[in-house]
Amino acid sequence: MGVISNGTTLLDAGALDSGVATGKMTLISTITADNSASTITFASNIDSTYDEYQFHCSNIHMSTNDSYLLVNFRDGGTAYDAVKTTTFFKSENNPSDNQGAFSYPTGDDLVQSTAVQRVSVPIGHDNDECSGGILHMYAPIANTKVTHFHSTFATQDMSDFCVNVQVAGYCNTTAAITGVQFSASSGNFQNGVIKMYGIGG
Amino acid sequence: MGLISNGTTIFDAGAMSAGFGGSLTLIKKLTADGSTAGLSFVHGSANVVFNSTFKQYMFTFNNLHPSSNENKLVMQTTIDGTNFNVATTTTFMVAYNRTSGGSHALEYDTSKDVGNSTSFYSISEAAGSDNDQSVCGFMHFFNPADTTFVKNFWLRTSTDHHGDFHMINLVSGYVNTTSAITGVQFKYENNNMDAGDICLYGIG
């Protein structure tokens, strides 16, 4: 059954008509960690449909202490190894409120590297410790431009510090970015949910 | 009454099925009018939803104007809907530039962060109360209903400082509880919130 209003088809064949306004933020897929893998991979549905893709990460908790949340991008083939240049800075404070500071740790950025990019500090492993944040990636289609991304993550680390990590960078390729992979620097994703959204389109 | 098309449920029980429509849902807009100290979003009050319905919530701050000068926007959370006093640790970065030039920097502001504090904490520098001055920004709050983990959040505010600086504030924190957070209150540190609005969105 379809629904037609004043001559305009609103829905038919089990789907809303593409002309129906539904908002400009669309949930594409959700992956929930179950401690079975050290990676969470979005290998499909990244194309020219949307202008921007966002990855919303909640309650990221690894199976080992002191494990970083990492990200990498696929720009052809099957490997997640796009060449990247990035910046990384952070602010932190401890529960005693006497070690507030910010810094640019040069060991956490990348220069023309295929390696994984850190988007958090080492996450604490106490039962209640975790990390949450958002990664934005813009226009991953093949064109004449590199593909930009940036992220913000809030983390409780292994020393109970609150740490705000800001990362920005670009995949130095004009090829399409067709996949995004998050990984743990050690252990598995014990808990957490990552949702991929499309923006615009 | 529901609506099923080609075997797929589109609407039922007064709501659109998951997978249809947008993923950003406006839950509540509160507008300041100078009559109260701040704006509170408490689950179950005035149609506010702040529970496990969404994994993430977003607040937007639109032209929040203090009724008195040199006033920081502050916030706290609640686990009982009444007492806003949950232990929280935050970080606070600021970049600023003076309207008249000659003074600009990126700094970590140790006077604005907190460690395991149950008091209200700063999410902006001290705003001015000139008619055209205000604070704007947004905050992401992750999974407030979770009962296993602490609650992460981060935000950005853009502040018209009382000394005629523009300031951007980058703040993040965790609410150090495994109890569900059921509400958030925003207010100015001194006197009432004169004008502006805060919107609460669910992201799902």
Side-chain angles (χ1 to χ4, degrees), chain B residues 57-144:
Chain B
Y57 290 82
M58 181 173 74
F59 296 88
T60 59
F61 313 124
N62 185 22
N63 288 333
L64 302 180
H65 184 261
S67 59
S68 62
N69 200 30
E70 199 173 345
N71 225 332
K72 296 187 289 287
L73 186 65
V74 298
M75 67 170 273
Q76 246 293 358
T77 57
T78 180
I79 59 174
D80 61 13
T82 304
N83 299 295
F84 291 85
N85 58 358
V86 189
T88 303
T89 297
T90 66
T91 70
F92 196 107
M93 280 188 290
V94 56
Y96 61 83
N97 192 16
R98 191 165 202 162
T99 309
S100 57
S103 181
H104 50 84
L106 170 65
E107 296 176 348
Y108 186 93
D109 191 338
T110 55
S111 71
K112 304 293 189 309
D113 63 6
V114 294
N116 241 13
S117 173
T118 57
S119 301
F120 277 76
Y121 43 90
S122 300
I123 58 173
S124 82
E125 295 283 353
S129 62
D130 291 353
N131 286 340
D132 60 352
Q133 293 179 317
S134 65
V135 172
C136 296
F138 64 89
M139 176 173 78
H140 289 278
F141 200 105
F142 294 90
N143 209 6

Side-chain angles (χ1 to χ4, degrees), chain B residues 39-45 48 50-51 59 75-88 117-121 139 141 143-146 151 153 175-186:
Chain B
L39 300 175
S40 297
F41 296 84
V42 176
H43 178 71
S45 173
V48 168
F50 198 70
N51 62 358
F59 296 88
M75 67 170 273
Q76 246 293 358
T77 57
T78 180
I79 59 174
D80 61 13
T82 304
N83 299 295
F84 291 85
N85 58 358
V86 189
T88 303
S117 173
T118 57
S119 301
F120 277 76
Y121 43 90
M139 176 173 78
F141 200 105
N143 209 6
D146 183 86
K151 314 302 183 292
F153 64 90
V175 185
N176 193 14
T177 181
T178 55
S179 298
I181 299 295
T182 59
V184 183
Q185 183 177 99
F186 303 93

Side-chain angles (χ1 to χ4, degrees), chain A residues 19-156:
Chain A
V20 175
T22 58
K24 292 297 185 182
M25 182 175 188
T26 303
L27 176 62
I28 300 170
S29 61
T30 300
I31 299 178
T32 301
D34 61 1
N35 203 19
S36 65
S38 62
T39 59
I40 290 178
T41 304
F42 294 87
S44 60
N45 297 317
I46 299 175
D47 51 33
S48 61
T49 303
Y50 298 99
D51 302 322
E52 177 192 343
Y53 290 81
Q54 294 182 359
F55 301 85
H56 291 225
C57 309
S58 300
N59 297 138
I60 302 299
H61 179 85
M62 307 306 188
S63 62
T64 60
N65 200 22
D66 223 6
S67 179
Y68 290 87
L69 178 61
L70 314 169
V71 71
N72 216 331
F73 304 88
R74 186 180 67 199
D75 61 350
T78 57
Y80 289 80
D81 60 355
V83 173
K84 299 171 295 301
T85 295
T86 65
T87 63
F88 182 112
F89 67 97
K90 65 178 181 178
S91 64
E92 58 191 350
N93 189 29
N94 62 335
S96 299
D97 196 22
N98 56 14
Q99 294 190 56
F102 80 99
S103 62
Y104 187 108
T106 54
D108 289 333
D109 61 8
L110 299 173
V111 177
Q112 293 293 92
S113 173
T114 59
V116 290
Q117 171 62 48
R118 294 171 174 171
V119 294
S120 79
V121 292
I123 303 168
H125 183 55
D126 290 350
N127 287 339
D128 62 350
E129 294 176 329
C130 63
S131 181
I134 300 174
L135 171 75
H136 302 251
M137 180 175 68
Y138 298 93
I141 59 173
N143 58 22
T144 59
K145 305 292 190 297
V146 301
T147 297
H148 291 266
F149 60 91
H150 64 82
S151 64
T152 300
F153 277 80
T155 301
Q156 184 182 18

